[in-house]
Amino acid sequence: MDMNQETKVTVIDDRLRQEEAETLCRWAAARAGVIVVAPLLGTMALIANDVYLVIKLGSVYEEEIGEKAAVSLLSSLGAYFVGSTLTTLIPFAPLQIPVAVGTTYALGRVVTEWLKAGKPADLSPFKTVYDDALREAKKNIELFKNDPKKDEPLGDESKNTICDQTIMNGGPLCTRTMM
């Protein structure tokens, strides 16, 4: 080995990663409370927001998660995620906003813990994480409603994402939602 050769060392601070992940979860949840009430597009935009959150959390943990993989993860969460998302179709903001905020925040917390655990195939151990995060979000709904980043998209909301195509074409996520 050449003694003059430089070696690059990357120090990973788990605390900083956790803070970045939490910031993304809160941002996406606050954003969900804004976009869910958009007539006709609210639920689709909410799912796109959740897809962006999954992808961005993956990058925090140096895991490349594409749109198809993110949609697949959302689908595999089954009743945890899809049942709550279905509720946002009811056009009543006092119901839509807390559900959208809570569901998105809980999703972010589950994905964060799933990534930290090494992406196990079985998501059932994360139900408690989901339930706890959902309760926390609903208890602190005003913090999310007043988040200064709530009007900043996580990604290009006008982009025709795989998530939008999946829903419009009756793909797995949409089919589950209709059940």
Coordinates of all heavy atoms in Angstrom, one line a residue, residues 69-154:
A69 N -40.6 0.3 -5.7 CA -40.4 -0.4 -4.4 C -41.1 0.4 -3.3 O -41.6 -0.3 -2.4 CB -38.9 -0.3 -4.1
A70 N -41.2 1.7 -3.4 CA -42.0 2.4 -2.4 C -43.4 2.1 -2.4 O -44.1 1.9 -1.4 CB -41.7 3.9 -2.6
V71 N -44.0 2.0 -3.6 CA -45.4 1.6 -3.7 C -45.6 0.2 -3.2 O -46.6 -0.1 -2.5 CB -45.9 1.8 -5.2 CG1 -47.3 1.1 -5.4 CG2 -45.9 3.2 -5.6
S72 N -44.7 -0.7 -3.5 CA -44.8 -2.1 -3.0 C -44.8 -2.1 -1.5 O -45.5 -2.8 -0.9 CB -43.6 -2.9 -3.6 OG -43.7 -4.2 -3.1
L73 N -43.9 -1.3 -0.9 CA -43.8 -1.2 0.5 C -45.2 -0.7 1.1 O -45.7 -1.3 2.1 CB -42.7 -0.3 1.0 CG -42.5 -0.1 2.5 CD1 -42.3 -1.4 3.2 CD2 -41.4 0.9 2.8
L74 N -45.7 0.3 0.5 CA -47.0 0.8 1.0 C -48.1 -0.2 0.9 O -48.9 -0.4 1.8 CB -47.4 2.1 0.2 CG -46.6 3.3 0.3 CD1 -47.1 4.4 -0.6 CD2 -46.5 3.8 1.7
S75 N -48.1 -1.0 -0.2 CA -49.0 -2.1 -0.4 C -48.9 -3.1 0.6 O -49.8 -3.7 1.2 CB -48.9 -2.7 -1.8 OG -49.2 -1.8 -2.8
S76 N -47.6 -3.5 1.0 CA -47.4 -4.5 1.9 C -47.8 -4.1 3.4 O -47.9 -5.0 4.2 CB -45.9 -5.0 1.9 OG -45.1 -4.0 2.3
L77 N -47.9 -2.8 3.6 CA -48.4 -2.4 4.9 C -49.8 -2.7 5.1 O -50.3 -2.6 6.2 CB -48.1 -0.9 5.1 CG -46.6 -0.6 5.3 CD1 -46.4 0.9 5.3 CD2 -46.1 -1.1 6.6
G78 N -50.5 -3.0 4.0 CA -51.9 -3.5 4.1 C -52.8 -2.6 4.9 O -52.9 -1.4 4.7
A79 N -53.5 -3.2 5.8 CA -54.6 -2.5 6.6 C -54.0 -1.3 7.4 O -54.8 -0.4 7.6 CB -55.2 -3.5 7.5
Y80 N -52.8 -1.4 7.9 CA -52.3 -0.3 8.6 C -52.4 1.0 7.8 O -52.9 2.0 8.3 CB -50.8 -0.4 8.9 CG -50.3 -1.6 9.6 CD1 -49.0 -2.1 9.3 CD2 -51.1 -2.3 10.5 CE1 -48.5 -3.3 9.9 CE2 -50.6 -3.5 11.1 CZ -49.4 -3.9 10.8 OH -48.9 -5.1 11.4
F81 N -51.9 1.0 6.6 CA -51.8 2.2 5.8 C -53.1 2.4 4.9 O -53.7 3.4 4.9 CB -50.6 2.0 4.9 CG -50.5 3.1 3.9 CD1 -50.1 4.4 4.3 CD2 -50.7 2.9 2.6 CE1 -49.9 5.4 3.4 CE2 -50.6 4.0 1.7 CZ -50.2 5.2 2.1
V82 N -53.5 1.4 4.2 CA -54.6 1.5 3.2 C -55.9 1.9 3.9 O -56.6 2.7 3.3 CB -54.7 0.2 2.3 CG1 -55.8 0.4 1.3 CG2 -53.3 0.0 1.6
G83 N -56.2 1.2 5.0 CA -57.5 1.5 5.6 C -57.6 3.0 6.0 O -58.6 3.7 5.8
S84 N -56.6 3.5 6.5 CA -56.6 5.0 6.9 C -56.6 5.9 5.7 O -57.3 6.9 5.7 CB -55.3 5.3 7.7 OG -55.4 4.6 9.0
T85 N -55.9 5.5 4.6 CA -55.9 6.3 3.4 C -57.3 6.3 2.8 O -57.7 7.4 2.3 CB -54.8 5.7 2.4 OG1 -53.6 5.7 3.1 CG2 -54.8 6.6 1.2
L86 N -58.0 5.2 2.9 CA -59.4 5.2 2.3 C -60.2 6.2 3.0 O -61.1 6.9 2.4 CB -60.0 3.8 2.5 CG -61.4 3.6 2.0 CD1 -61.5 3.8 0.5 CD2 -61.8 2.1 2.3
T87 N -60.0 6.4 4.3 CA -60.8 7.4 5.1 C -60.6 8.8 4.5 O -61.6 9.6 4.6 CB -60.4 7.4 6.6 OG1 -60.5 6.1 7.0 CG2 -61.2 8.3 7.4
T88 N -59.5 9.1 3.9 CA -59.3 10.5 3.4 C -60.1 10.8 2.2 O -60.2 11.9 1.8 CB -57.8 10.7 3.1 OG1 -57.4 9.9 2.0 CG2 -56.9 10.5 4.3
L89 N -60.8 9.8 1.6 CA -61.7 10.0 0.5 C -63.0 10.7 0.9 O -63.7 11.3 0.1 CB -62.0 8.7 -0.2 CG -60.9 8.0 -0.9 CD1 -61.3 6.6 -1.4 CD2 -60.4 8.9 -2.1
I90 N -63.3 10.6 2.2 CA -64.5 11.3 2.7 C -64.2 12.8 2.8 O -63.3 13.2 3.5 CB -64.9 10.8 4.1 CG1 -65.1 9.3 4.1 CG2 -66.1 11.5 4.7 CD1 -65.2 8.6 5.4
P91 N -65.0 13.6 2.0 CA -64.6 15.1 1.9 C -65.1 15.9 3.1 O -66.0 16.7 3.0 CB -65.4 15.5 0.6 CG -66.6 14.5 0.5 CD -66.1 13.2 1.1
F92 N -64.4 15.7 4.2 CA -64.7 16.4 5.4 C -63.4 16.7 6.1 O -62.8 15.8 6.7 CB -65.6 15.5 6.3 CG -66.1 16.1 7.6 CD1 -66.8 17.3 7.6 CD2 -65.7 15.6 8.8 CE1 -67.2 17.9 8.8 CE2 -66.2 16.1 10.0 CZ -66.9 17.3 10.0
A93 N -62.9 17.9 5.9 CA -61.5 18.3 6.4 C -61.2 18.0 7.8 O -60.1 17.5 8.1 CB -61.3 19.8 6.1
P94 N -62.2 18.2 8.8 CA -61.9 17.8 10.2 C -61.6 16.3 10.4 O -60.9 16.0 11.3 CB -63.1 18.2 10.9 CG -63.8 19.3 10.1 CD -63.5 18.9 8.7
L95 N -62.0 15.5 9.5 CA -61.7 14.1 9.5 C -60.4 13.8 8.7 O -59.5 13.1 9.1 CB -62.8 13.2 9.0 CG -62.5 11.7 8.8 CD1 -62.3 11.1 10.2 CD2 -63.7 11.1 8.1
Q96 N -60.4 14.4 7.5 CA -59.3 14.1 6.5 C -57.9 14.5 7.1 O -56.9 13.8 7.0 CB -59.5 14.9 5.2 CG -60.6 14.4 4.4 CD -60.8 15.3 3.2 OE1 -61.0 16.5 3.4 NE2 -60.7 14.7 2.0
I97 N -57.8 15.7 7.6 CA -56.5 16.3 8.0 C -55.8 15.4 9.1 O -54.7 15.0 9.0 CB -56.6 17.7 8.4 CG1 -57.0 18.6 7.2 CG2 -55.3 18.2 9.1 CD1 -57.3 20.0 7.4
P98 N -56.5 15.1 10.3 CA -55.9 14.3 11.3 C -55.5 12.9 10.8 O -54.4 12.4 11.1 CB -56.9 14.2 12.4 CG -57.8 15.3 12.2 CD -57.8 15.6 10.7
V99 N -56.3 12.3 9.9 CA -56.0 11.0 9.4 C -54.8 11.0 8.5 O -53.9 10.2 8.6 CB -57.3 10.4 8.7 CG1 -56.9 9.1 7.9 CG2 -58.4 10.1 9.7
A100 N -54.8 12.0 7.6 CA -53.7 12.2 6.7 C -52.4 12.4 7.4 O -51.3 11.8 7.1 CB -53.9 13.3 5.6
V101 N -52.4 13.3 8.4 CA -51.2 13.7 9.1 C -50.7 12.5 9.9 O -49.6 12.1 9.9 CB -51.5 14.9 10.1 CG1 -50.4 15.1 11.1 CG2 -51.6 16.2 9.3
G102 N -51.7 11.8 10.6 CA -51.3 10.7 11.5 C -50.8 9.5 10.7 O -49.8 8.9 11.0
T103 N -51.5 9.2 9.6 CA -51.1 8.1 8.7 C -49.7 8.3 8.1 O -48.8 7.4 8.1 CB -52.1 7.8 7.6 OG1 -53.4 7.6 8.2 CG2 -51.7 6.7 6.7
T104 N -49.5 9.5 7.6 CA -48.2 9.8 7.0 C -47.0 9.8 8.0 O -46.0 9.2 7.8 CB -48.2 11.2 6.2 OG1 -49.2 11.1 5.2 CG2 -46.9 11.5 5.6
Y105 N -47.3 10.4 9.2 CA -46.2 10.4 10.2 C -45.9 9.0 10.7 O -44.8 8.6 10.8 CB -46.7 11.3 11.4 CG -45.6 11.3 12.5 CD1 -44.4 12.0 12.3 CD2 -45.8 10.6 13.7 CE1 -43.5 12.0 13.3 CE2 -44.8 10.7 14.7 CZ -43.7 11.4 14.5 OH -42.7 11.4 15.4
A106 N -47.0 8.2 10.9 CA -46.8 6.8 11.3 C -46.1 6.0 10.2 O -45.2 5.2 10.5 CB -48.2 6.2 11.6
L107 N -46.4 6.2 9.0 CA -45.7 5.5 7.9 C -44.2 5.9 7.9 O -43.4 5.0 7.8 CB -46.3 6.0 6.5 CG -45.5 5.6 5.3 CD1 -45.5 4.1 5.1 CD2 -45.9 6.4 4.1
G108 N -43.9 7.1 8.1 CA -42.5 7.5 8.1 C -41.8 6.9 9.3 O -40.6 6.4 9.1
R109 N -42.4 6.8 10.4 CA -41.7 6.2 11.6 C -41.5 4.7 11.3 O -40.5 4.1 11.7 CB -42.6 6.4 12.9 CG -42.7 7.9 13.3 CD -41.4 8.5 13.7 NE -40.9 7.7 14.9 CZ -39.6 7.2 14.9 NH1 -38.8 7.4 14.0 NH2 -39.3 6.5 16.0
V110 N -42.5 4.0 10.7 CA -42.4 2.6 10.4 C -41.2 2.4 9.4 O -40.4 1.5 9.6 CB -43.7 2.0 9.9 CG1 -43.5 0.6 9.2 CG2 -44.7 1.9 11.0
V111 N -41.2 3.2 8.4 CA -40.2 3.0 7.4 C -38.8 3.3 8.0 O -37.8 2.6 7.7 CB -40.4 4.0 6.2 CG1 -39.2 4.0 5.2 CG2 -41.7 3.5 5.4
T112 N -38.7 4.3 8.9 CA -37.4 4.6 9.5 C -37.0 3.4 10.3 O -35.8 2.9 10.2 CB -37.6 5.8 10.5 OG1 -37.9 6.9 9.7 CG2 -36.3 6.1 11.2
E113 N -37.8 2.8 11.1 CA -37.5 1.6 12.0 C -37.2 0.4 11.1 O -36.3 -0.4 11.4 CB -38.6 1.3 13.0 CG -38.7 2.4 14.0 CD -37.5 2.8 14.8 OE1 -36.7 1.8 15.2 OE2 -37.2 4.0 14.9
W114 N -37.9 0.2 10.0 CA -37.7 -0.9 9.1 C -36.3 -0.8 8.4 O -35.6 -1.8 8.4 CB -38.8 -0.8 8.0 CG -38.7 -1.8 6.9 CD1 -39.0 -3.1 7.0 CD2 -38.4 -1.5 5.6 NE1 -38.8 -3.7 5.7 CE2 -38.5 -2.7 4.8 CE3 -38.1 -0.3 4.9 CZ2 -38.2 -2.8 3.5 CZ3 -37.9 -0.4 3.5 CH2 -37.9 -1.6 2.8
L115 N -36.0 0.4 8.0 CA -34.6 0.6 7.4 C -33.5 0.4 8.5 O -32.5 -0.3 8.2 CB -34.5 2.1 6.9 CG -35.3 2.3 5.6 CD1 -35.4 3.8 5.4 CD2 -34.6 1.6 4.4
K116 N -33.7 0.9 9.7 CA -32.7 0.7 10.7 C -32.6 -0.8 11.1 O -31.5 -1.3 11.5 CB -33.1 1.4 12.0 CG -32.9 2.9 11.8 CD -33.5 3.8 12.9 CE -33.3 3.4 14.3 NZ -33.9 4.3 15.3
A117 N -33.7 -1.6 10.9 CA -33.7 -3.0 11.2 C -33.1 -3.9 10.1 O -33.1 -5.1 10.2 CB -35.1 -3.5 11.6
G118 N -32.8 -3.2 9.0 CA -32.2 -4.0 7.9 C -33.2 -4.4 6.8 O -33.0 -5.4 6.1
K119 N -34.4 -3.8 6.8 CA -35.4 -4.1 5.8 C -36.0 -5.5 5.9 O -36.0 -6.2 4.8 CB -35.0 -3.7 4.4 CG -34.6 -2.3 4.2 CD -34.3 -1.9 2.8 CE -33.3 -2.9 2.1 NZ -32.9 -2.5 0.8
P120 N -36.4 -6.0 7.0 CA -36.9 -7.3 7.1 C -38.2 -7.5 6.3 O -39.0 -6.5 6.1 CB -37.2 -7.5 8.6 CG -37.3 -6.2 9.1 CD -36.5 -5.3 8.3
A121 N -38.4 -8.7 5.8 CA -39.6 -9.0 4.9 C -40.9 -8.9 5.8 O -42.0 -8.5 5.3 CB -39.5 -10.3 4.3
D122 N -40.8 -9.3 7.0 CA -42.0 -9.3 7.9 C -42.2 -8.0 8.5 O -41.4 -7.5 9.4 CB -41.8 -10.4 9.0 CG -43.0 -10.5 9.9 OD1 -44.1 -9.9 9.6 OD2 -42.9 -11.2 10.9
L123 N -43.3 -7.3 8.2 CA -43.5 -5.9 8.8 C -44.4 -6.0 10.0 O -44.6 -4.9 10.7 CB -44.2 -5.1 7.7 CG -43.4 -4.7 6.5 CD1 -44.2 -4.0 5.4 CD2 -42.2 -3.9 6.9
S124 N -44.9 -7.1 10.4 CA -45.8 -7.2 11.6 C -45.2 -6.7 12.9 O -45.9 -6.1 13.7 CB -46.3 -8.6 11.8 OG -45.3 -9.5 12.0
P125 N -43.8 -6.8 13.1 CA -43.3 -6.3 14.3 C -43.4 -4.7 14.4 O -43.2 -4.1 15.5 CB -41.8 -6.7 14.3 CG -41.8 -7.8 13.4 CD -42.8 -7.6 12.4
F126 N -43.7 -4.1 13.3 CA -43.7 -2.6 13.3 C -45.1 -2.0 13.5 O -45.3 -0.8 13.5 CB -43.1 -2.1 11.9 CG -41.7 -2.6 11.7 CD1 -41.5 -3.6 10.8 CD2 -40.7 -1.9 12.3 CE1 -40.2 -4.1 10.6 CE2 -39.4 -2.4 12.1 CZ -39.1 -3.4 11.3
K127 N -46.1 -2.9 13.8 CA -47.4 -2.4 14.1 C -47.4 -1.5 15.3 O -48.1 -0.5 15.3 CB -48.4 -3.6 14.3 CG -49.8 -3.1 14.7 CD -50.9 -3.8 14.0 CE -52.3 -3.4 14.5 NZ -52.5 -2.0 14.7
T128 N -46.7 -1.9 16.3 CA -46.6 -1.1 17.5 C -46.0 0.3 17.2 O -46.5 1.3 17.7 CB -45.8 -1.8 18.6 OG1 -46.4 -3.0 18.9 CG2 -45.8 -1.0 19.9
V129 N -45.0 0.4 16.4 CA -44.4 1.6 16.0 C -45.5 2.5 15.3 O -45.6 3.7 15.6 CB -43.2 1.4 15.0 CG1 -42.7 2.7 14.5 CG2 -42.1 0.6 15.8
Y130 N -46.2 1.8 14.4 CA -47.3 2.6 13.7 C -48.3 3.1 14.6 O -48.6 4.3 14.6 CB -47.9 1.6 12.7 CG -49.0 2.3 11.8 CD1 -48.6 2.9 10.6 CD2 -50.3 2.4 12.2 CE1 -49.5 3.5 9.8 CE2 -51.2 3.0 11.4 CZ -50.9 3.6 10.2 OH -51.8 4.2 9.4
D131 N -48.8 2.3 15.5 CA -49.9 2.7 16.4 C -49.4 3.8 17.4 O -50.1 4.8 17.6 CB -50.3 1.5 17.3 CG -51.1 0.5 16.5 OD1 -51.6 0.8 15.4 OD2 -51.2 -0.7 16.9
D132 N -48.2 3.7 17.9 CA -47.6 4.7 18.8 C -47.4 6.1 18.0 O -47.8 7.1 18.5 CB -46.3 4.3 19.4 CG -46.4 3.2 20.4 OD1 -47.6 2.9 20.8 OD2 -45.4 2.6 20.7
A133 N -46.9 6.0 16.8 CA -46.7 7.2 16.0 C -48.0 7.9 15.6 O -48.2 9.1 15.6 CB -45.9 6.9 14.8
L134 N -49.0 7.1 15.3 CA -50.3 7.6 14.9 C -51.0 8.3 16.1 O -51.5 9.5 16.0 CB -51.2 6.4 14.5 CG -52.6 6.8 13.9 CD1 -52.4 7.6 12.6 CD2 -53.4 5.5 13.6
R135 N -50.9 7.7 17.3 CA -51.4 8.4 18.5 C -50.6 9.7 18.8 O -51.2 10.8 19.1 CB -51.2 7.5 19.7 CG -52.5 6.7 20.0 CD -52.4 6.0 21.4 NE -51.2 5.1 21.5 CZ -51.2 3.9 21.0 NH1 -52.2 3.4 20.4 NH2 -50.1 3.1 21.2
E136 N -49.3 9.7 18.6 CA -48.5 10.9 18.9 C -48.9 12.0 17.9 O -49.0 13.2 18.3 CB -47.0 10.5 18.7 CG -46.1 11.7 19.0 CD -44.6 11.4 18.7 OE1 -44.2 10.2 18.7 OE2 -43.9 12.4 18.5
A137 N -49.0 11.6 16.6 CA -49.4 12.7 15.6 C -50.7 13.3 15.9 O -50.9 14.5 15.8 CB -49.3 12.0 14.2
K138 N -51.7 12.4 16.2 CA -53.1 13.0 16.5 C -53.1 13.8 17.8 O -53.8 14.8 17.8 CB -54.1 11.8 16.6 CG -54.3 11.2 15.2 CD -55.4 10.1 15.2 CE -55.6 9.6 13.8 NZ -56.7 8.6 13.8
K139 N -52.3 13.4 18.7 CA -52.2 14.2 20.0 C -51.6 15.6 19.7 O -51.9 16.6 20.4 CB -51.4 13.4 21.0 CG -51.4 14.1 22.4 CD -50.7 13.2 23.4 CE -49.2 13.2 23.2 NZ -48.5 12.4 24.2
N140 N -50.7 15.7 18.8 CA -49.9 16.9 18.5 C -50.3 17.5 17.2 O -49.5 18.1 16.5 CB -48.4 16.6 18.5 CG -48.0 16.2 19.9 OD1 -48.1 16.9 20.9 ND2 -47.4 15.0 20.0
I141 N -51.5 17.3 16.8 CA -52.0 17.7 15.4 C -51.7 19.2 15.1 O -51.3 19.6 14.0 CB -53.5 17.4 15.2 CG1 -53.8 17.5 13.7 CG2 -54.4 18.3 16.0 CD1 -53.3 16.5 12.8
E142 N -51.8 20.1 16.1 CA -51.5 21.5 15.9 C -50.1 21.8 15.5 O -49.8 22.7 14.7 CB -51.9 22.3 17.2 CG -53.4 22.4 17.4 CD -54.3 22.8 16.2 OE1 -53.9 23.9 15.6 OE2 -55.3 22.2 15.9
L143 N -49.2 21.0 16.0 CA -47.8 21.2 15.6 C -47.6 20.9 14.2 O -46.8 21.6 13.5 CB -46.8 20.3 16.4 CG -46.7 20.5 17.9 CD1 -45.9 19.4 18.6 CD2 -46.1 21.9 18.1
F144 N -48.3 19.9 13.6 CA -48.2 19.6 12.2 C -48.9 20.7 11.4 O -48.4 21.1 10.3 CB -48.7 18.2 11.9 CG -47.9 17.1 12.5 CD1 -48.3 16.5 13.7 CD2 -46.8 16.7 11.9 CE1 -47.5 15.5 14.3 CE2 -46.0 15.7 12.4 CZ -46.4 15.1 13.6
K145 N -50.1 21.1 11.8 CA -50.8 22.1 11.1 C -50.1 23.4 11.0 O -50.2 24.2 10.0 CB -52.2 22.4 11.8 CG -53.2 21.3 11.6 CD -54.5 21.7 12.3 CE -55.6 20.8 12.0 NZ -56.9 21.2 12.7
N146 N -49.3 23.7 12.0 CA -48.5 25.0 12.0 C -47.1 24.9 11.5 O -46.3 25.8 11.7 CB -48.6 25.6 13.4 CG -50.0 25.9 13.8 OD1 -50.8 26.4 13.0 ND2 -50.3 25.6 15.1
D147 N -46.7 23.7 11.0 CA -45.3 23.5 10.6 C -45.0 24.5 9.4 O -45.8 24.5 8.4 CB -45.1 22.1 10.1 CG -43.7 21.7 9.8 OD1 -43.1 22.4 8.9 OD2 -43.2 20.8 10.5
P148 N -43.9 25.2 9.5 CA -43.6 26.2 8.4 C -43.3 25.5 7.1 O -43.4 26.2 6.1 CB -42.4 26.9 9.0 CG -41.8 26.1 10.1 CD -43.0 25.2 10.6
K149 N -43.0 24.3 7.1 CA -42.6 23.6 5.8 C -43.8 22.9 5.1 O -43.7 22.3 4.1 CB -41.5 22.6 6.1 CG -40.2 23.2 6.5 CD -39.1 22.1 6.7 CE -38.4 21.9 5.4 NZ -37.2 21.1 5.5
K150 N -45.0 23.1 5.7 CA -46.2 22.3 5.2 C -46.5 22.7 3.8 O -47.2 21.9 3.1 CB -47.4 22.6 6.1 CG -47.9 24.0 6.1 CD -49.1 24.1 7.0 CE -49.6 25.6 6.8 NZ -50.1 26.1 8.1
D151 N -46.2 23.8 3.3 CA -46.5 24.2 1.9 C -45.4 23.9 0.9 O -45.5 24.2 -0.2 CB -46.8 25.7 1.9 CG -48.1 26.0 2.7 OD1 -49.1 25.2 2.5 OD2 -48.1 27.0 3.4
E152 N -44.3 23.3 1.4 CA -43.2 22.9 0.6 C -43.3 21.4 0.2 O -43.3 20.6 1.0 CB -41.8 23.1 1.3 CG -41.5 24.5 1.6 CD -40.2 24.6 2.4 OE1 -39.3 23.7 2.2 OE2 -40.1 25.5 3.2
P153 N -43.5 21.2 -1.1 CA -43.6 19.8 -1.6 C -42.3 19.0 -1.3 O -41.2 19.5 -1.3 CB -43.8 19.9 -3.1 CG -44.2 21.3 -3.3 CD -43.6 22.1 -2.2
L154 N -42.5 17.7 -1.0 CA -41.3 16.8 -0.8 C -40.7 16.5 -2.1 O -39.6 16.1 -2.2 CB -41.8 15.5 -0.1 CG -41.9 15.6 1.4 CD1 -43.0 14.6 1.9 CD2 -40.6 15.4 2.1

